[in-house]
Amino acid sequence: MKPSTWRLAGALVLFLALAIFGARFHRVEEVGSAERDGYVAKAEQLMHGEIPVDPYRPLLYPLLVAGMGKTGLEPFVAARLLSNLAAAALVWLAFGFGRRLGGSDRAGYWAMALTAVNPNVWILGQHVATDMLFAALASAALLAGLAYLETPRARTALVVGAFLGLAGFVRGTAVFLVPGLLLAWWLADRPRSWRAPLVAALAAVALLAPHFWLRAQVFGDPVYSENFKNLAWKLYGYPDWSYLDRVPFASLGEIVRADPARVLAGGFAELWRFARGGLSQLLGTGVHALLLLAGATLAWGWRRRAAGWLLAASGIALVATAFVFFTWGRLLLYLLPVANGLGAAGLFFTARGSVGVLREGDDGCRRTRWADWLVLVLVALLAVKTFFFRLPAFVEHHPTAEIEALSALDRGGGEGLGCGEPGERANQTTLAGVTPFLGRYLEQRYVALPDAFGDEVTNPELYFEHLGPLLRSEGVRYLVAIPIDLRDRPAALLGPGQGGTSGLPSWLRLCSAGESVAVWQVELGEGASP
């Protein structure tokens, strides 16, 4: 087979492996993840002809999921498969960076292998969220920018603009790529013309046109966004998400003018956090972070313009992200194939020993084979972390016990769990739990308990005082709580054995409790006080 066929086959095998793993172990949103943003629920709204009201996130991802859902796939499955496909594409793109920087298929395959076993690819590649789709599109825009830098053509600029527009339709932070891509145009070998950036801009705007239309329909403004509130939350509200509902600023400018020093300090603190641990988390281990640093230095020596541009474009995007939000790995995932491409290229240059083509059997070829073994060790090291540590922890971080308890209540009432009267069924009642989105697995109505915010975090009585009227108005009969998604709610919800009884109201009667789940009967009749 041709080398391109092997690469495509490898990406396809990875996609199938991700799909099989997801079908077996990721059948509901992981607790405490970005999946709480509710993209599947937005897709379901679109499937019913409703436009979701979301002032933060563009809608390409739920639109694609809704389109796949129209073929008969369940929306959650469709969303997961879309993320699986984007993860396989991200790995395939890593080959492109390694090949272009190293000038050899070998460097491309090294970058591809290092990316394929990264735990972020396997975990975020399952999440029904925008992280992986944005990473693939943003990384494709950078790879197209690298191609333009080396061979400036209008059609390459068109590809750059297309991927940039699609990335912007997934996440607004795609704008952080624009300075780096303009730098590629400025550095390209030919008399500069405004034709290339104009072509790229037209392609991006054309693909963003549906986004602008949707914004105008919902908010009356085609460029409406409340993402500036994320900076306010970072500086003044973290980790209390309810702060987003009471941000006192009306724009990004107001936040900066209110306390410029705080904005600067927050940005530099994020950059330091990324250097201290975020880079290792993104690439897999500290050893792989060292490979990037060494590889980037060596690639700079051999391919100064290409490596320098990639470092500059990536650095601009990283700094912008740090100053407006957090340098979490999932937000910077599009830099993973760039980093592995730089590392692989630098290693290849070191092993090859010269720019010229080596004859079979000379010292350079032997060193290249030695480098193959080094890459194999690095891949094996990361694979052990991924498949023996990170993925088992990921599997355990799902609300399986909560779903099982709720399903038992849904089918036969509380008798089997120590609740209710013999023969009683839960028909025409409402179930409650701590994890959102579980209603899709139940016939009965489901309510997710609100998180605790502000004084509720330290005052359990206050939380239950606010919770009681909600449960009564919703007609909740049974309540299920699990420790892995309790968040800041009172620990008493886990039962006396795990959380004690502090603040526990009289209208909650414990049916059963164990290490993984607690089931309560809610006794809020007409005469009961919440």
Side-chain angles (χ1 to χ4, degrees), residues 12 43 47 116 119 147 180 243 259 276-277 303 309 365 370 385 398:
L12 179 60
M47 291 176 68
Y243 180 80
D259 196 342
R276 189 177 56 188
R303 298 290 307 281
W309 173 76
C365 189
W370 173 84
K385 177 178 179 178
H398 286 73

Side-chain angles (χ1 to χ4, degrees), residues 152-460:
R153 293 193 182 99
R155 63 185 181 186
T156 308
L158 180 69
V159 174
V160 171
F163 281 121
L164 180 64
L166 289 171
F169 201 170
V170 176
R171 186 177 287 167
T173 50
V175 71
F176 298 155
L177 301 175
V178 173
L181 294 172
L182 285 174
L183 182 62
W185 164 71
W186 183 262
L187 295 174
D189 278 338
R190 67 165 44 188
R192 282 183 292 274
S193 165
W194 288 100
R195 181 185 177 190
L198 181 61
V199 167
L202 289 174
V205 171
L207 288 168
L208 281 169
H211 166 67
F212 296 141
W213 181 84
L214 288 166
R215 289 287 176 176
Q217 293 298 307
V218 176
F219 301 106
D221 181 351
V223 294
Y224 185 87
S225 174
E226 294 184 10
N227 278 304
F228 68 90
K229 292 183 178 180
N230 286 321
L231 175 58
W233 176 74
K234 168 191 170 182
L235 298 177
Y236 301 100
Y238 178 81
D240 184 355
W241 285 106
S242 69
Y243 180 80
L244 289 173
D245 297 325
R246 56 180 190 278
V247 170
F249 306 101
S251 67
L252 180 64
E254 281 192 17
I255 298 172
V256 175
R257 288 192 298 270
D259 196 342
R262 191 167 190 160
V263 175
L264 289 173
F268 286 119
E270 269 307 294
L271 289 173
W272 173 243
R273 189 201 67 78
F274 181 75
R276 189 177 56 188
L279 180 61
S280 297
Q281 188 278 330
L282 175 64
L283 299 184
T285 71
V287 174
H288 295 80
L290 289 175
L291 173 66
L292 164 64
L293 297 176
T297 302
L298 294 165
W300 169 268
W302 290 106
R303 298 290 307 281
R304 180 156 300 184
R305 191 176 60 157
W309 173 76
L310 269 178
L311 289 170
S314 302
I316 292 170
L318 170 63
V319 170
T321 303
F323 276 87
V324 302
F325 202 51
F326 293 98
T327 54
W328 294 335
R330 68 180 186 85
L331 303 180
L332 298 170
L333 191 60
Y334 61 94
L335 300 180
L336 176 61
V338 176
N340 284 335
L342 285 165
L347 180 61
F348 180 76
F349 288 136
T350 301
R352 188 172 62 172
S354 70
V355 179
V357 177
L358 295 165
R359 295 185 303 275
E360 185 67 28
D362 66 8
D363 184 60
C365 189
R366 286 194 294 273
R367 281 184 289 166
T368 302
R369 289 198 294 269
W370 173 84
D372 287 336
W373 284 103
L374 175 60
V375 172
L376 182 61
V377 170
L378 291 170
V379 169
L381 174 66
L382 194 52
V384 168
K385 177 178 179 178
T386 297
F387 299 115
F388 291 93
F389 294 95
R390 290 292 305 279
L391 288 188
F394 167 72
V395 171
E396 292 297 320
H397 216 227
H398 286 73
T400 306
E402 187 177 11
I403 293 174
E404 291 175 352
L406 287 167
S407 297
L409 292 168
D410 187 48
R411 292 190 304 268
E415 182 181 357
L417 295 171
C419 292
E421 301 297 330
E424 177 190 19
R425 291 188 59 80
N427 294 333
Q428 305 304 316
T429 191
T430 303
L431 306 175
V434 294
T435 303
F437 316 124
L438 300 187
R440 71 171 73 102
Y441 304 100
L442 308 171
E443 294 183 6
Q444 308 298 328
R445 191 163 175 271
Y446 177 76
V447 174
L449 299 189
D451 292 338
F453 294 114
D455 292 339
E456 295 176 341
V457 176
T458 56
N459 187 348

